[in-house]
């Protein structure tokens, strides 16, 4: 048994230490909001925050996490209240199929934490997640809306 | 672990809101409202109303991001006159549809047909339910139903009596449905036609939304699959002993003679063992096929004497031969991959009495048929529980992954197994957008009028690959999408006095399939790029040149886009406009791209202005999103989309070798809706076709260079010297 801190809780798992955090979250801890898209840290669907830094969990072995704090999409809403990124996502009606949106919301949460008033250029460089439905126009709009909220 | 033998997860699933630490989140079922034991009775196949006024609308089509779910609910709710804030939805299953004599009709969700082909009967479902609810209240109050009024599910009578749909629903469910109902005039719509929010958003921003890949049930095992890297090749041998003792591995099996599967306790363990599994394949002569050999096959077809004629007016060859000026150009379009964000997957559980599948699918009935065929059980002993799709784009219209999951489950009766394709498996085993080439030859008279046009398409047929029974005397009519002589689906908009559009079918072994926009995509690249080439040769403006030839509906939408974009007016220095139009999926669309190309050849797509006439507008906000998304999809393909073949196998394996557009390359998109209200057109696909040609035409204006082969990433775009 090993322990990792996810969404403020110490959680046990028995995965092989080299297992990517993504699969520990999904298959050991039941946190399926973090998605598998490519497994090679390209698409961003698996983005989580590790000590606040947006990280592609498909390329982070679980034994590299140690005592660091992991936050997943399930950990953003406090007491059922959406964070301001999620609220903006709902207000702008961003998702289409929605599969990439957990990663998008996590990346945007990290961006706004670092830059409360991001420019379009900041958004371009921070938001490298792939969306195939093409929600990019609404993602940009929602990030600006969240910054103003 | 023992297997739950309850009818776990019938139909729609909810998941406990807090995932349980240290264990699986548990999926459980809510009773389907048509269940005999349920106290809540349906009013008809489409509408169920609960005592608390909750309205459940049944949706047979699949939701994959395109918004059909919300649009169909709007249409049913509009006729029902219910409170929109009380509307929710559920999927009936394909098995239920079989048992009820296909009461929900077609489950297939492709060809942008979700709303345009089912709006009438879904609206009727809502209207009939309304009539029954009013009749129940009238009977209770002993007044004529015609004296009642209803607003947002509240029924009132001039005597002061008042009730709600929830209160009369049980009595209404006992009544005979009306034989006929009159549907509302769209000008009176209050819910439909409005930019209401989607019904499926919240769970997608909290991580609660379950896709097929997230599905789990007690005792479920997980499988990783590797099929022969060469499509059409066979499995020769594999050495299961090498991996059977690896952590978590339960079983190693071959399926269909062309794939190996490792079943384990988790996907990670299954995948790790699969990677270590030695396999040997029999690929035969297919191993000699390269992209170059496929291209040579297509090139030969460009001048072949035999071809299927798709559209013919007058005598194009004679007109071109006698023309004052002759213009010829050859274009090509590569294989492309759909790349749904969620890789293919399905969960299946088989017993000799029953086979159940849980998956995202664009075609529940086809998935049911696949489950039946793979399990060997009749369809009434099979069922498919549809999950939301993490992208479809045509890929999930096929059921190859369903078949595989059922074959694996059949190896372990009673044990549920989820089969997940790795991204690499997904990338290399698709039904790809077909590759074609086209040679276009036009003749202009001395005044620059187009007197003759021949378009020879050479290349792959989707029907020949997937549905050969649908070929018509060997011809694939779908090849001519956007170029067809007539019809309400995909007709050619230009009036050319002498026209020949024909197809030399050349079918490589790579499986071809329906890919969002399908054949309108490359046909619009060929046609709309060449229209600019013809306009240049005629010394005319490309808009004016087109408007002289276009039929009224096609012309109107192009003009709407051009007007909104300010076409012909001064642009910022270095910016150029390019135009394109097409009719597809029953709708008329046009786009104007504004681009610049820097001196070192860097392309910037600044803005797209897009016009759509889809007849009726059910949700303008969702149409805007489909139009913007269509440009993301179409431009991603234009910039990067290319699948190549080496030694018979697809070379691209993941996003590092198959690049996709990110937010930094996404242009601004302005959408203009110009609905004429006289037909029902689709929205999810048509606009994709104008993305590439509008940008290619703008690039040609900016650089003087005409790009005739996609993707753009292979081209140096510095200004022609």
């Amino acid at each position: 048994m090993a322990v990792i801190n996810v969404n403020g809780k110490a959680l046990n798992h028995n995965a092989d230490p080299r297992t990517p955090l993504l699969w520990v979250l999904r298959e050991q801890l039941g946190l399926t909001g973090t998605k598998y898209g490519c497994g090679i840290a390209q698409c961003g669907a698996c983005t989580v925050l590790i000590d606040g830094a947006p990280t592609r969990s498909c390329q982070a072995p679980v034994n590299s996490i140690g005592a660091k704090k992991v936050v997943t999409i399930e950990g953003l809403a406090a007491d059922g209240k959406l964070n301001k990124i999620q609220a903006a996502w709902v207000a702008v009606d961003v998702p289409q199929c929605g599969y990439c949106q957990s990663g998008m919301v996590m990346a945007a949460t990290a961006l706004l934490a670092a830059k409360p008033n991001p420019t379009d250029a900041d958004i371009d460089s921070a938001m490298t997640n792939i969306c195939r439905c093409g929600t990019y126009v609404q993602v940009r709009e929602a990030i600006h809306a969240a910054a103003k909220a | 672990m023992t297997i739950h033998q309850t009818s776990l997860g019938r139909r729609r699933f909810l998941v406990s809101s807090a995932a349980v630490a240290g264990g699986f989140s548990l999926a459980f079922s809510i009773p389907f409202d048509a269940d005999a034991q349920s106290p809540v009775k349906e009013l008809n196949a489409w509408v169920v109303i609960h005592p608390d006024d909750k309205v459940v609308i049944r949706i047979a089509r699949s939701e994959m991001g395109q918004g059909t779910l919300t649009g169909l609910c709007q249409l049913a709710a509009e006729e029902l006159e219910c409170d929109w804030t009380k509307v929710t939805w559920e999927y009936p299953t394909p098995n239920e549809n079989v048992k009820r004599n296909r009461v929900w009709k077609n489950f297939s969700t492709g060809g942008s047909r979700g709303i345009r082909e089912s709006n009438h009967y879904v609206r009727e479902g809502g209207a009939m339910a309304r009539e029954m609810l009013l009749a129940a209240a009238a009977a209770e109050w002993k007044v004529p139903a015609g004296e009642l009024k209803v607003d947002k599910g509240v029924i009132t009578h001039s005597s002061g009596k008042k009730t709600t749909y929830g209160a009369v629903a049980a009595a209404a469910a006992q009544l005979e449905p009306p034989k006929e109902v009159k549907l509302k005039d769209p000008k009176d719509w209050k819910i439909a036609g409005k930019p209401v929010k989607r019904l499926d958003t919240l769970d997608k921003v909290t991580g609660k939304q379950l896709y097929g890949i997230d599905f789990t049930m007690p005792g479920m095992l997980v499988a990783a699959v590797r099929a022969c890297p060469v499509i059409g090749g066979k499995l020769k041998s594999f050495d299961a002993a090498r991996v059977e003792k690896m952590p978590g591995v339960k079983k190693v099996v071959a399926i269909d003679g062309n794939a190996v599967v490792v079943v384990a306790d988790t996907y990670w363990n299954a995948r790790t063992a699969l990677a270590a599994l030695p396999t040997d394949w029999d690929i035969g002569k297919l191993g000699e096929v390269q992209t170059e050999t496929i291209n040579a096959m297509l090139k030969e077809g460009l001048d072949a004497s035999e071809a299927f004629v798709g559209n013919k007016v007058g005598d194009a060859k004679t007109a071109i031969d006698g023309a004052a000026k002759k213009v010829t150009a050859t274009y090509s379009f590569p294989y492309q991959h759909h790349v749904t964000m969620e890789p293919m997957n399905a969960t299946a559980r088989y017993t000799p009495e029953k086979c159940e599948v849980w998956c995202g699918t664009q075609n529940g009935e086809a998935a049911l048929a696949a489950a039946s065929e793979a399990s060997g059980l009749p369809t009434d002993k099979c069922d498919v529980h549809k999950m939301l799709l993490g992208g479809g784009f045509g890929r999930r219209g096929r059921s190859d992954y369903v078949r595989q999951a059922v074959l694996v489950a059949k190896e372990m009766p009673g044990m549920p197994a989820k089969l997940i394709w790795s991204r690499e498996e997904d990338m290399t085993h698709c039904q790809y957008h077909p590759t074609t080439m086209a040679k276009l030859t036009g003749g202009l008279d001395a005044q620059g009028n187009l007197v003759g046009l021949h378009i020879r398409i050479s290349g792959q047929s989707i029907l020949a690959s997937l549905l050969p029974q649908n070929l018509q005397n060997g011809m694939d009519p779908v090849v001519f999408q956007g170029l067809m002589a007539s019809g309400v689906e995909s007709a050619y908009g230009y009036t050319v006095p002498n026209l020949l559009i024909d197809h030399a079918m050349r079918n490589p072994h790579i499986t071809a399939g329906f890919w969002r926009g399908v054949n309108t995509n490359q046909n619009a690249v060929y046609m709309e790029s060449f229209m600019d080439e013809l306009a240049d040769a005629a010394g005319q403006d490309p808009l004016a040149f087109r408007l002289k030839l276009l039929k009224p509906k096609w012309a109107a939408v192009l003009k709407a886009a051009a007007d909104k974009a300010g076409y012909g007016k001064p642009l910022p220095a270095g910016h150029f406009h390019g135009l394109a139009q097409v009719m597809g999926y029953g709708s008329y669309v046009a786009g104007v791209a504004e681009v610049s190309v820097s001196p070192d050849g860097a392309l910037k797509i600044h803005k797209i202005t897009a016009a759509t006439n889809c007849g009726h507008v059910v949700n303008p906000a969702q149409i805007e999103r489909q139009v913007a998304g269509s440009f993301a999809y179409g431009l991603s393909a234009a910039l990067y989309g290319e699948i190549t073949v080496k030694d018979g196998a697809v070379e691209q394996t993941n996003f590092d070798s198959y690049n996709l557009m990110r937010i930094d390359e996404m242009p601004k998109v302005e959408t203009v809706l110009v609905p004429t209200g006289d037909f029902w057109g689709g929205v999810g696909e048509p606009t994709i076709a104008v993305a590439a040609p509008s940008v290619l035409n703008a690039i040609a204006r900016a650089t003087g260079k005409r790009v005739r082969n996609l993707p753009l990433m292979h081209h140096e775009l510095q200004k022609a010297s």
Side-chain angles (χ1 to χ4, degrees), chain B residues 665-686:
Chain B
E665 294 178 303
M666 182 71 198
K668 290 193 174 74
V669 179
E670 184 167 16
T671 305
V672 193
L673 300 182
V674 285
T676 46
D678 51 339
F679 64 96
W680 287 80
V683 167
E685 292 172 271

Side-chain angles (χ1 to χ4, degrees), chain A residues 31-141:
Chain A
L31 296 170
T32 55
T34 304
K35 302 302 188 199
Y36 166 62
C38 66
I40 58 168
Q42 290 278 314
C43 75
C46 66
T47 304
V48 299
L49 305 183
I50 298 180
D51 279 352
T55 306
R56 308 245 154 128
S57 63
C58 70
Q59 284 288 307
V62 69
N63 66 356
S64 72
I65 306 301
K68 291 175 190 156
K69 291 186 166 65
V70 178
V71 176
T72 71
I73 186 76
E74 292 91 347
L76 290 187
D79 303 324
K81 190 174 180 292
L82 301 180
N83 82 359
K84 68 176 183 177
I85 312 290
Q86 292 171 304
W89 245 246
V90 170
V92 176
D93 220 11
V94 175
Q96 289 186 29
C97 91
Y99 193 82
C100 73
Q101 299 294 332
S102 294
M104 286 280 187
V105 168
M106 297 312 290
T109 297
L111 169 62
L112 282 203
K115 292 189 174 167
N117 258 308
T119 62
D120 278 335
D122 293 331
I123 292 171
D124 286 347
S125 61
M127 301 297 293
T128 56
N129 307 47
I130 296 174
C131 171
R132 289 294 285 153
C133 299
T135 61
Y136 297 131
V137 170
Q138 288 75 35
V139 166
R140 189 183 298 282
E141 184 185 339

Side-chain angles (χ1 to χ4, degrees), chain A residues 9 11-12 16 18-20 23 26-40 42-43 45 73-74 76-77 82 86 89-102 105 120 123-125 127-141 143, chain B residues 19-25 64-65 196-198 200-202 204-207 209-211 213-214 222 266-268 271 337-343 389-391 393 420-424 515-516 622 625-626 628-630 632-633 636 654-656 660-664 666-667 669:
Chain A
K9 290 180 198 153
L11 302 178
N12 295 312
D16 179 281
R18 291 158 300 178
T19 306
W23 295 103
R26 291 181 55 81
E27 301 200 297
Q28 305 274 328
L29 306 178
L31 296 170
T32 55
T34 304
K35 302 302 188 199
Y36 166 62
C38 66
I40 58 168
Q42 290 278 314
C43 75
I73 186 76
E74 292 91 347
L76 290 187
L82 301 180
Q86 292 171 304
W89 245 246
V90 170
V92 176
D93 220 11
V94 175
Q96 289 186 29
C97 91
Y99 193 82
C100 73
Q101 299 294 332
S102 294
V105 168
D120 278 335
I123 292 171
D124 286 347
S125 61
M127 301 297 293
T128 56
N129 307 47
I130 296 174
C131 171
R132 289 294 285 153
C133 299
T135 61
Y136 297 131
V137 170
Q138 288 75 35
V139 166
R140 189 183 298 282
E141 184 185 339
I143 292 172
Chain B
V20 186
F24 289 109
S25 55
M64 47 191 166
V196 303
K197 295 278 173 63
R198 296 175 64 111
D200 54 343
T201 294
L202 185 60
K204 291 175 178 172
V205 304
T206 59
Q209 179 62 58
L210 284 190
Y211 300 85
I213 202 168
D214 304 322
V222 190
T266 65
Y267 176 65
W268 187 252
R271 177 188 165 112
H337 195 288
H338 308 74
V339 197
T340 60
M341 286 307 294
E342 179 194 13
L389 286 66
F393 315 126
I420 301 175
W421 289 23
S422 65
R423 176 58 65 192
E424 290 78 8
W515 190 102
R516 191 177 182 190
Q622 292 311 316
R625 283 158 176 74
Q626 285 306 298
S630 291
Y633 207 77
S636 200
N654 205 322
F655 299 155
D656 52 350
L660 299 157
M661 178 195 260
R662 265 71 162 189
I663 201 169
D664 61 336
M666 182 71 198
V669 179

Side-chain angles (χ1 to χ4, degrees), chain B residues 333-667:
Chain B
F333 198 86
Y335 282 114
Q336 292 169 346
H337 195 288
H338 308 74
V339 197
T340 60
M341 286 307 294
E342 179 194 13
M344 297 305 110
N345 66 83
T347 302
R349 183 173 60 183
Y350 167 88
T351 67
E353 294 76 40
K354 193 172 190 186
C355 178
E356 285 182 283
V357 173
W358 294 262
C359 68
T361 171
Q362 287 177 241
N363 193 339
E365 292 177 293
L368 181 71
S372 170
E373 192 182 303
S375 68
L377 295 174
T379 50
D380 63 347
K381 290 189 172 177
C382 300
D383 209 353
V384 174
H385 307 281
K386 297 198 301 176
M387 316 286 290
L388 285 202
L389 286 66
F393 315 126
R395 176 62 182 87
R396 283 190 162 92
R398 312 309 304 169
S399 302
D400 45 348
Y401 55 98
V402 174
R403 175 181 175 80
Q404 288 186 342
V406 171
L407 291 174
V408 171
K410 206 178 172 185
E411 297 278 339
M412 312 175 296
M415 296 290 282
K418 174 163 66 180
L419 179 117
I420 301 175
W421 289 23
S422 65
R423 176 58 65 192
E424 290 78 8
E425 187 69 15
D426 195 290
M427 193 63 83
T428 51
H429 295 87
C430 188
Q431 295 86 36
Y432 301 88
H433 182 99
T435 181
T436 62
M437 294 183 181
K439 184 174 182 181
L440 299 96
T441 311
L444 299 165
D445 68 15
Q447 288 73 45
N449 298 308
L450 182 61
V451 294
L453 176 65
H454 177 206
I455 305 175
R456 162 60 61 86
I457 298 165
S458 172
Q460 193 160 9
S461 150
I462 297 170
L463 293 189
S465 191
L466 293 185
L467 301 160
Q469 67 275 20
N470 290 7
L471 292 171
Q472 295 174 4
N473 296 321
M475 178 168 123
D476 177 355
V478 184
V479 161
F480 300 100
Q481 278 183 306
L483 304 174
M484 293 172 181
S486 59
V488 297
E489 182 68 25
S490 210
Y492 189 59
Y494 297 106
T495 301
V496 184
N498 298 286
L499 176 71
L500 176 62
I501 306 177
D502 55 9
H503 173 223
M505 193 187 291
R506 297 292 182 273
N507 293 322
H509 76 285
I510 299 292
T511 325
F514 299 99
W515 190 102
R516 191 177 182 190
V518 195
N519 292 311
T520 55
N521 295 352
Q522 73 273 15
N523 288 344
V525 168
Y526 304 152
M527 188 64 240
E528 290 303 294
S529 298
F530 195 63
M531 283 309 278
D532 263 39
E533 296 205 61
L534 288 169
D536 288 349
Q540 296 178 26
D541 174 81
L543 175 62
F545 187 76
R546 281 176 173 82
L547 290 176
K548 281 194 294 182
L549 299 169
L550 280 174
K551 295 167 190 167
K553 273 205 167 89
W554 289 255
V557 77
L558 178 61
K559 212 169 165 309
D563 287 349
K564 192 73 179 179
Y567 182 87
K569 292 185 183 144
L571 286 171
H575 289 213
F576 295 86
H577 271 156
L579 303 163
Q581 66 76 35
V582 77
M583 182 209 178
Y585 305 92
S587 289
Y588 305 81
V589 302
V592 181
E594 180 183 334
V595 316
S596 63
V597 178
S598 73
D600 61 352
L603 169 70
K604 171 90 180 158
I605 306 166
H606 298 274
K607 189 182 171 188
I608 300 287
T609 308
T612 298
N613 178 5
C614 53
H616 290 286
V617 168
V618 175
N619 187 323
Q622 292 311 316
I623 294 175
E624 253 181 51
R625 283 158 176 74
Q626 285 306 298
V627 168
S630 291
F631 279 98
Y633 207 77
L635 293 177
S636 200
L639 292 169
Y640 303 115
E642 181 186 38
I643 289 290
T644 55
V645 179
K646 190 179 180 197
D647 301 335
V650 165
E651 285 192 277
Q652 290 70 26
T653 56
N654 205 322
F655 299 155
D656 52 350
S657 46
Y658 196 87
N659 197 12
L660 299 157
M661 178 195 260
R662 265 71 162 189
I663 201 169
D664 61 336
E665 294 178 303
M666 182 71 198

Side-chain angles (χ1 to χ4, degrees), chain B residues 667-712:
Chain B
K668 290 193 174 74
V669 179
E670 184 167 16
T671 305
V672 193
L673 300 182
V674 285
T676 46
D678 51 339
F679 64 96
W680 287 80
V683 167
E685 292 172 271
T687 302
I688 291 168
V690 297
S694 62
V695 166
L696 293 176
N697 286 336
I699 289 171
R701 303 282 148 210
T703 65
K705 282 185 180 173
R706 170 58 57 183
V707 173
R708 299 189 183 92
N709 311 296
L710 291 175
L712 274 161

